[in-house]
Amino acid sequence: MSNLSRNSVAAILVMLLAGTVSFAQSSGEATYKTKCQMCHGEKGLADSGAGKSMKVKPATDPDVKKMSEAQMIDAVRNGSGKMQPYKDKLTDAQIKDAVEYFRTFTK
Ligand code: HEC
């Protein structure tokens, strides 16, 4: 096996592990990275391919910045626009932690 494909196998394994581990821990960062980052971007700027194609607003957008934590939790629990509801997929604690992590990008 070449080094390149060995590295990609390792990377896939790490991603699978990270996905499983995030259920066990309540770290907002881990939840954000596995569940939210693909659309909202590493720094909340929605600069990923999916974020751009779904026209996700960056965390620094005035409309996003003015939202309270409770409003954001509500958007994630019940869905917002093209974002699916997460209330059946994540616990309330996981949603709150992920939103708190997302809010660090609005500052
Ligand atoms: C499939 C892509 C996708 C994923 C995954 C996703 N979102 Fe969203 N999110 C959106 C879209 C689209 C909107 C509504 C468009 C907008 O206004 O930015 C949105 C809106 C929001 C909002 C309201 C502020 C805003 O930008 O309008 C918050 C807060 C938010 N998402 C947080 C999260 C969190 C936390 C997660 C992970 C648990 C997550 N999102 C996962 C696509 C996604």
Side-chain angles (χ1 to χ4, degrees), residues 40 42 67 76 95:
H40 287 278
E42 193 186 347
M67 285 176 81
V76 178
I95 292 174

Side-chain angles (χ1 to χ4, degrees), residues 31-32 35-40 50 54-59 63-64 67 71-73 75-76 80-84 86 90 94-95 98-99 102:
T31 305
Y32 183 85
K35 306 284 174 194
C36 322
Q37 180 166 304
M38 62 282 223
C39 292
H40 287 278
M54 292 178 91
K55 298 198 174 28
V56 180
K57 291 191 205 96
D63 285 345
V64 177
M67 285 176 81
Q71 285 173 317
M72 288 187 177
I73 289 173
V76 178
S80 167
K82 294 202 186 97
M83 181 169 66
Q84 56 165 328
Y86 278 90
L90 297 173
Q94 284 176 313
I95 292 174
V99 163
F102 177 77

